[in-house]
């Protein structure tokens, strides 16, 4: 009977060791998975930052081009208006005088 009890105690102790080892293995695996996730997250964040930097540079370049085009259009319209004003100044003045004198 004592032998059976001793073997049961031994089995219980062995089971405790197995559970402890399993728990340590589980913790180790969880830590490895956490590290892998951290590495993946860091990699994704770096890739996204790189893409955002590239997109930001493209958007800024496009904005500069758009501004340059708008300025050119504005200058062209201003030149056209100045030319029209210079070419038609006397006719505009005559029209103004005509309208004033009609009243």
């Amino acid at each position: 009977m004592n032998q059976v009890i001793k073997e049961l105690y031994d089995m219980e102790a062995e089971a405790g060791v197995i559970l402890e080892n399993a728990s340590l293995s589980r913790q180790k695996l969880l830590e490895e998975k956490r590290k892998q996730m951290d590495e993946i997250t860091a990699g994704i964040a770096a890739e996204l930052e790189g893409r955002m930097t590239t997109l930001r540079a493209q958007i800024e370049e496009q904005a500069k081009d758009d501004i340059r085009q708008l300025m050119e259009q504005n200058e062209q319209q201003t030149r056209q208006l100045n030319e029209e004003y210079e070419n038609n100044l006397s006719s505009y003045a005559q029209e103004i005088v005509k309208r004033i004198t009609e009243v």
Side-chain angles (χ1 to χ4, degrees):
M1 181 87 155
N2 284 339
Q3 183 66 22
V4 172
I5 292 174
K6 183 178 184 258
E7 286 180 22
L8 287 173
Y9 281 129
D10 289 343
M11 282 185 195
E12 186 178 356
E14 212 174 294
V17 170
I18 291 171
L19 286 175
E20 187 177 322
N21 288 338
S23 178
L24 291 174
S25 294
R26 181 178 176 271
Q27 290 297 329
K28 184 178 178 183
L29 287 173
L30 287 174
E31 183 64 23
E32 287 176 9
K33 290 297 178 190
R34 187 193 59 77
K35 286 180 182 178
Q36 287 176 348
M37 290 299 293
D38 289 348
E39 289 173 3
I40 291 169
T41 301
I44 290 171
E47 182 179 341
L48 287 176
E49 184 62 34
R51 287 183 183 184
M52 287 175 54
T53 299
T54 302
L55 288 174
R56 192 176 298 118
Q58 289 174 346
I59 290 170
E60 287 175 1
E61 188 61 35
Q62 182 64 43
K64 287 178 184 177
D65 287 344
D66 291 347
I67 290 170
R68 188 172 29 255
Q69 287 177 359
L70 288 172
M71 289 178 66
E72 288 174 3
Q73 289 174 356
N74 187 27
E75 289 174 3
Q76 183 181 5
Q77 288 175 346
T78 302
R79 279 193 302 274
Q80 288 174 346
L81 289 172
N82 283 336
E83 286 177 16
E84 183 179 341
Y85 174 75
E86 288 176 9
N87 292 339
N88 299 315
L89 176 63
S90 61
S91 64
Y92 290 156
Q94 288 174 358
E95 183 67 28
I96 290 171
V97 169
K98 180 180 174 184
R99 288 186 183 185
I100 292 174
T101 57
E102 287 179 355
V103 174

